[in-house]
């Protein structure tokens, strides 16, 4: 073993070091989380410090108390910067981790991939994406977790409370190695300020979706979903216009905002979908990062220069992604004033987190906003709300001229309505659909199609290439006899996987995503397992998914916004989903309060599964993926969604032991006559 690897392993095994490591200088070249608001009472500040010091022996308390108090004052949180590890942060090939459990080593690689500075949004604050999507609350938790994972066996389970490792508990080899809960609070205490308070005290965290469940794979995960969404939004527009070929997207203009963690996928998706895209991003660091990574083609700082560039790109039917480094409201207003025809519009600012850096109000620089949100939070809130009113007004002007606008799951409609913007119809419904209501729900989720992903733990690009080929082969075979209802979805995904390698989508680990239904996911996973067994793949593979799926998430304004039986505010599905995955073979499961659209607004869950070519892995694949997809289809079918009814009846024909309660459809006229 070489010296660096030895030091890496030793540092992991040491957990929280006995002696204090050198204090780390604040690195200004890294993208840092904004200062969080000063929300704690003096008594709660005492608690925050006592809570932080729980991780360390008493002899260090005098030094650390002072330092942590300073962090709390300066950043509104105690990150314990001093305890950032000294090794470089990225996912190593799985055999380089010190471990007694191969599954635990796989989880360590996933954690390090999430924290890789190429992948994470604010890596030093342990924020992976979405402004507040945390993997851990502080570096002591990170160190302890890595130590637990390095020393645990396949007969133990690590219990995670919002980033805090409660400990290792005896279990058995079929049990999950890790159970994660994030942000689970008593429902009456689930307002955004409750998160601020509990997070500042170090007792809870916002795990977003894949951040707190170690399943984030950089923007690729979302490029795919965004590509599918943009392609289908364009098809809708072209169909509305009576176009003969709804796949001829040349010259269509797509305007949106956000080049952050997930939103950064939009320009790339625009290019893959073959349109002209314009994305506004107020933070120059975020914009430059995406430009350097080749995810956006051109950066423009001046609207006078950008507007003619847009006209030229549209006229020339260029496939190009332009970014406006500035406030999206300025962009929308200018587009409306210039009477530019926009075909598709959306928004991916982090409006799930409007008061703490997710949305920057028009009329203020980034720095002014950052100061205001910490020093004058009420004024900041007013600025955000008045910005949203202007934002919506400009969008309304363009939709009146034919633009198709959709909410992209960032709580844009919800927060705009709360801000009093002109976003509601007379009957109280939103003026615009969510992308799930129009696209993802009826075309994908109801049929069981969702964001299946995998990571090659060998970290070898050739392993990823082989998995791409295997996935394509499996999907091709299924598509040959797929019913009409799902043939289009299969075609789009085959094209995606065929082009994925050429599009250089990997940032961080050797990972891939596609959308597949239960049959597709299971057959692909079994093909990987075979290839590991016979040595064609050089290492184990992690299977997982985004929480943004058929069954994992109850989110009334997003994943379950096309549930119309009144149960969209119930969260039984997400909870049942994660419990069921937990005893059917998942290597880790997670359940979160708040992914995507905000704390208190959604319950979402996910899983990870390390497969190693064994018969046990094959069994886990068959049993767990079946449940993971079909429980959500069954619920969607019970909600009278036609596609889901079709899909679950088809599954019952294939699987005699599946028996699902099907709804009887009542006659509306009959009901009206008796009420
Ligand atoms: N439905 C989905 O599949 C889906 C996918 C991706 C993201 N989302 C949601 O979209 C949002 C964005 O996610 P993210 O990970 O990219 O978050 P992020 O915080 O990393 O990125 C958002 C970006 O928007 C920029 N921004 C904020 N206000 C702006 C303004 N007024 N003008 C211009 N730029 C502005 C920020 O600087 C930031 O870089 C989140 O709410 C997320 O939950 C949903």
């Amino acid at each position: 073993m070489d010296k660096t690897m030895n030091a890496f392993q030793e540092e992991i095994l040491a957990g929280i070091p006995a002696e204090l490591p050198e204090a780390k200088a604040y690195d200004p070249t890294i993208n840092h989380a904004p200062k969080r608001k000063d929300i704690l009472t003096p008594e709660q500040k005492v608690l925050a410090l006592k809570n932080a010091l729980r991780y360390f022996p008493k002899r260090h308390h005098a030094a650390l108390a002072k330092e942590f108090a300073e962090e709390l004052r300066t950043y509104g949180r105690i990150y314990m910067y001093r305890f950032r590890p000294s090794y470089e942060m990225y996912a190593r090939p799985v055999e380089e981790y010190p471990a007694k459990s191969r599954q635990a080593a796989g989880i360590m690689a996933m954690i390090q991939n999430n924290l890789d500075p190429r992948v994470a949004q604010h890596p030093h604050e342990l924020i992976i994406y979405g402004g507040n999507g945390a993997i851990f609350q502080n570096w002591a938790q990170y160190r302890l977790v890595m130590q637990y994972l390095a020393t645990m066996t396949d007969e133990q389970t690590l219990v995670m409370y919002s980033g805090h490792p409660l400990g290792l508990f005896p279990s058995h080899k079929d049990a999950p190695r890790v159970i994660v809960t994030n942000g689970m609070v008593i429902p009456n205490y689930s307002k955004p300020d409750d998160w601020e308070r509990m997070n500042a005290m170090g007792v809870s965290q916002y795990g977003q979706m894949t951040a707190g469940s170690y399943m984030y794979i950089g923007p690729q995960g979302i490029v795919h979903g965004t590509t599918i969404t943009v392609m289908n939004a364009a098809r809708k527009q072209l169909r509305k216009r009576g176009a003969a070929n709804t796949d001829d997207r040349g010259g269509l203009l797509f305007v949106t905002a956000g080049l952050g963690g997930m939103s950064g996928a939009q320009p790339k998706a625009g290019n893959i979908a073959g349109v002209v895209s314009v994305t506004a991003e107020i933070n120059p660091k975020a914009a430059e990062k995406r430009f350097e990574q080749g995810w956006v083609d051109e950066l423009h700082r001046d609207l006078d220069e950008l507007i003619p560039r847009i006209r030229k790109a549209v006229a020339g039917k260029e496939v190009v992604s332009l970014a406006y480094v500035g406030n999206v409201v300025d962009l929308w207003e200018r587009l409306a004033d210039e009477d530019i025809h926009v075909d598709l519009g959306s928004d991916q600012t982090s409006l799930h987190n409007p008061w703490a850096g997710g949305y920057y109000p028009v009329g203020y620089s980034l720095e002014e906003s950052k100061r205001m949100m910490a020093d004058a939070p009420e004024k900041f809130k007013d600025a955000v709300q008045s910005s949203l009113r202007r934002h919506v007004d400009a969008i309304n002007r363009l939709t009146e001229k034919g633009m198709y606008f959709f909410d992209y799951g960032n709580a844009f409609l919800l927060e705009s309505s709360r801000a009093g913007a002109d976003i509601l119809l007379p009957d109280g419904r939103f003026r615009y659909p969510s992308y799930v209501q129009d696209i993802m729900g009826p075309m994908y989720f109801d049929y069981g199609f969702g964001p299946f992903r995998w990571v090659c733990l060998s970290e070898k690009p050739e392993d990823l290439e082989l998995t791409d080929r295997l996935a394509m082969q499996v999907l091709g075979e299924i598509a040959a006899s797929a019913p009409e209802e799902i043939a289009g979805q299969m075609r789009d995904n085959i094209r995606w996987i065929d082009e994925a390698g050429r599009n250089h989508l990997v940032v961080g680990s050797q990972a891939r995503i596609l959308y597949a239904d239960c049959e597709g996911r299971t057959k692909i996973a079994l093909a990987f397992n075979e290839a590991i067994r016979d040595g064609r793949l050089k290492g184990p593979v992690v299977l997982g998914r985004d929480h943004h799926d058929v069954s994992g998430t109850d989110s009334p304004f997003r994943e379950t916004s096309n549930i119309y039986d009144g149960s969209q505010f119930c969260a039984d599905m997400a909870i049942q989903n994660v419990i069921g995955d937990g005893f059917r073979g998942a290597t880790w499961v997670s359940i979160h309060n708040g992914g995507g659209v905000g704390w208190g607004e959604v319950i979402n869950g996910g899983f990870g599964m390390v497969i190693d070519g064994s018969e046990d892995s094959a069994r886990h694949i068959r049993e767990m993926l079946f449940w993971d997809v079909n429980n959500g289809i069954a619920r969607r079918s019970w909600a009278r969604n036609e596609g889901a009814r079709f899909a679950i009846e088809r599954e019952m024909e294939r699987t005699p032991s599946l028996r699902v309660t099907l709804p009887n459809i009542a006659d509306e006229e009959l009901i009206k006559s008796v009420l």
Side-chain angles (χ1 to χ4, degrees):
M1 200 186 306
D2 71 29
K3 248 168 71 196
T4 345
M5 202 199 295
N6 216 347
F8 167 70
Q9 297 202 345
E10 276 169 15
E11 197 168 330
I12 284 182
L13 287 166
I16 295 177
E19 294 312 317
L20 291 185
E22 284 289 293
K24 306 262 183 320
Y26 186 84
D27 181 350
T29 63
I30 291 268
N31 193 349
H32 287 283
K35 180 182 174 187
R36 308 298 186 187
K37 74 176 164 190
D38 182 11
I39 194 165
L40 300 185
T41 61
E43 294 74 33
Q44 288 168 334
K45 285 182 181 162
V46 172
L47 260 184
L49 280 173
K50 269 167 73 174
N51 289 348
L53 292 171
R54 282 188 278 196
Y55 290 101
F56 307 95
K58 218 170 163 115
R59 65 198 162 89
H60 295 317
H61 284 191
L64 291 179
K66 198 160 159 253
E67 195 167 305
F68 293 167
E70 186 57 33
E71 286 192 17
L72 190 59
R73 256 192 305 277
T74 316
Y75 310 111
R77 296 289 186 273
I78 302 171
Y79 298 114
M80 310 183 184
Y81 287 119
R82 176 192 286 270
F83 292 93
R84 274 201 294 114
S86 61
Y87 48 79
E88 249 186 278
M89 190 63 80
Y90 66 94
R92 277 95 176 142
V94 70
E95 65 277 6
E96 291 185 19
Y97 290 92
K100 294 182 182 152
S101 156
R102 179 57 79 89
Q103 296 185 346
I107 299 173
M108 293 164 89
M110 294 297 286
I111 289 174
Q112 294 202 320
N113 184 52
N114 276 239
L115 282 165
D116 182 331
R118 292 170 300 174
V119 174
Q121 184 185 18
H122 307 306
H124 291 183
E125 288 79 30
L126 302 115
I127 298 294
I128 309 305
Y129 67 89
N132 58 355
I135 183 163
F136 303 109
Q137 299 182 61
N138 58 55
W139 288 101
Q141 294 178 343
Y142 165 82
R143 284 188 180 250
L144 260 184
V145 167
M146 293 301 273
Q147 185 189 38
Y148 277 131
L149 289 169
T151 51
M152 76 186 291
T153 69
D154 280 342
E155 292 188 336
Q156 288 174 302
T157 292
L158 175 62
V159 176
M160 296 295 303
Y161 280 18
S162 279
H164 167 69
L166 190 70
L168 288 175
F169 290 76
S171 63
H172 55 88
K173 93 182 170 31
D174 261 352
R177 295 283 70 76
V178 183
I179 306 263
V180 180
T181 53
N182 277 310
M184 284 295 140
V185 297
I186 303 303
N188 260 346
Y189 300 84
S190 200
K191 294 276 180 293
D193 271 355
D194 294 317
W195 164 71
E196 292 274 4
R197 204 169 294 113
M198 290 187 243
N199 194 224
M201 285 194 288
V203 293
S204 193
Q205 74 174 5
Y206 186 66
Q208 259 282 7
M209 298 195 128
T210 49
S213 56
Y214 328 140
M215 195 43 78
Y216 188 59
I217 54 168
Q220 178 190 172
I222 208 69
V223 175
H224 175 260
T226 314
T227 306
I228 296 278
T229 305
V230 174
M231 283 193 326
N232 284 297
R235 281 180 187 139
K236 258 179 96 68
Q237 264 299 55
L238 292 168
R239 215 172 292 128
K240 200 168 91 192
R241 281 186 212 154
N245 178 1
T246 56
D247 278 329
D248 179 10
R249 293 180 285 271
L252 290 188
L253 176 60
F254 169 46
V255 176
T256 182
L259 288 174
M262 299 206 285
S263 48
Q266 295 177 106
K268 187 107 185 167
N271 280 8
I272 299 175
V275 301
V276 177
S277 68
V278 185
T279 311
E281 170 55 65
I282 196 161
N283 183 343
K285 276 200 180 117
E288 281 151 21
K289 181 168 164 181
R290 292 295 172 224
F291 178 69
E292 280 154 22
Q293 287 172 340
W295 288 65
V296 61
D297 299 324
E298 296 175 20
L299 299 185
H300 296 267
R301 290 181 168 76
D302 183 351
L303 283 171
D304 290 338
E305 164 202 303
L306 177 62
I307 296 293
R309 179 67 188 98
I310 295 174
R311 290 193 205 277
K312 179 165 169 266
V314 170
K317 297 194 173 182
E318 290 178 51
V319 174
V320 69
S321 51
L322 313 173
Y324 171 54
V325 187
N327 199 298
V328 69
V329 180
D330 290 324
L331 173 67
W332 279 122
E333 288 180 345
R334 186 67 184 267
L335 290 168
D337 291 346
E338 298 270 346
D339 213 9
I340 289 193
H341 180 80
V342 182
D343 298 283
L344 311 172
S346 194
D347 185 88
Q348 269 196 39
T349 56
S350 277
L351 271 165
H352 69 273
N353 175 32
W355 322 127
Y359 180 91
Y360 290 94
V362 64
Y364 298 90
S365 72
L366 186 66
E367 295 315 318
E368 284 166 346
S369 283
K370 282 186 175 174
R371 272 197 301 277
M372 194 178 14
M373 79 184 74
D375 302 340
E378 283 309 314
K379 186 174 166 210
F380 182 72
K381 189 171 172 180
D382 286 346
V384 166
Q385 294 201 320
S386 101
S387 181
L388 278 171
R389 291 192 290 272
R390 272 173 66 180
H391 198 147
V392 169
D393 284 343
I395 285 169
N396 289 348
R397 283 164 67 195
L398 287 156
T399 54
E400 272 157 26
K401 293 186 177 153
M403 175 172 81
Y404 171 60
F405 184 85
F406 57 96
D407 180 287
Y408 209 154
N410 61 339
F412 178 82
L413 296 174
L414 183 66
E415 286 307 332
S416 298
S417 68
R418 287 173 179 165
D422 182 11
I423 199 87
L424 297 175
L425 295 171
D427 65 4
R429 281 177 305 135
F430 292 128
R431 241 174 210 264
Y432 304 113
S434 92
Y435 72 114
V436 175
Q437 281 175 301
D438 267 16
I439 297 165
M440 276 298 162
M443 295 173 70
Y444 285 84
F445 293 160
D446 285 353
Y447 291 100
F449 281 80
F452 180 60
R453 61 180 57 179
W454 64 90
V455 175
C456 297
L457 288 175
S458 67
E459 288 302 334
K460 289 185 195 307
E462 54 275 26
D463 268 8
L464 186 62
E465 262 172 54
L466 176 58
T467 55
D468 281 350
R469 284 204 303 281
L470 290 170
M472 204 168 125
Q473 198 179 326
V474 167
L475 290 185
E477 282 162 15
I478 302 176
S481 58
E484 184 49 35
E485 285 82 349
I486 57 170
Q489 294 88 320
M490 307 283 310
R491 259 197 318 275
D492 280 352
N493 278 285
I494 291 172
R495 180 171 156 213
W496 158 265
I497 197 74
D498 188 25
E499 289 180 6
R502 283 193 292 284
N503 276 315
H504 303 292
L505 294 158
V506 169
V507 178
S509 277
Q510 295 296 319
R512 186 67 77 220
I513 176 154
L514 52 75
Y515 268 53
D517 62 0
C518 180
E519 184 184 9
R521 300 185 208 201
T522 307
K523 287 184 172 166
I524 291 170
L526 289 172
F528 294 171
N529 203 45
E530 279 292 321
I532 301 167
R533 184 180 309 165
D534 65 24
R536 279 173 295 148
L537 284 173
K538 302 298 173 226
V541 170
V542 167
L543 307 177
R545 58 166 172 74
D546 192 344
H547 296 196
H548 174 250
D549 197 9
V550 185
S551 322
T553 294
D554 277 299
S555 181
F557 301 105
R558 213 167 92 169
E559 284 77 356
T560 40
S561 59
N562 74 323
I563 297 281
Y564 301 107
D565 70 348
S567 71
Q568 73 270 36
F569 296 103
C570 303
D572 299 283
M573 179 176 72
I575 301 291
Q576 287 280 356
N577 185 70
V578 84
I579 294 174
D581 283 358
F583 64 79
R584 286 183 173 88
T587 309
W588 72 100
V589 288
S590 62
I591 186 87
H592 302 183
N593 169 14
V597 283
W599 177 264
E601 306 284 0
V602 40
I603 300 291
N604 53 284
F607 77 89
M609 185 193 285
V610 177
I611 58 167
D612 59 6
S614 64
E615 202 31 58
D616 280 346
S617 290
R619 179 168 51 86
H620 293 158
I621 289 168
R622 277 192 222 99
E623 291 180 2
M624 202 217 79
L625 290 181
F626 184 89
W627 162 257
D628 190 58
V629 179
N630 280 307
N631 79 87
I633 304 182
R635 184 269 177 113
R636 287 166 187 273
S637 155
W638 182 240
R640 295 182 283 264
N641 290 13
E642 282 172 21
R645 170 83 180 245
F646 167 88
I648 206 69
E649 285 185 354
R650 194 164 165 251
E651 192 59 77
M652 281 196 278
E653 273 168 34
R654 268 198 300 250
T655 312
S657 58
L658 173 71
R659 285 182 57 201
V660 168
T661 316
L662 296 175
N664 294 294
I665 308 297
D667 181 44
E668 294 255 353
E669 292 309 313
L670 168 78
I671 293 170
K672 280 188 195 142
S673 75
V674 297
L675 284 176

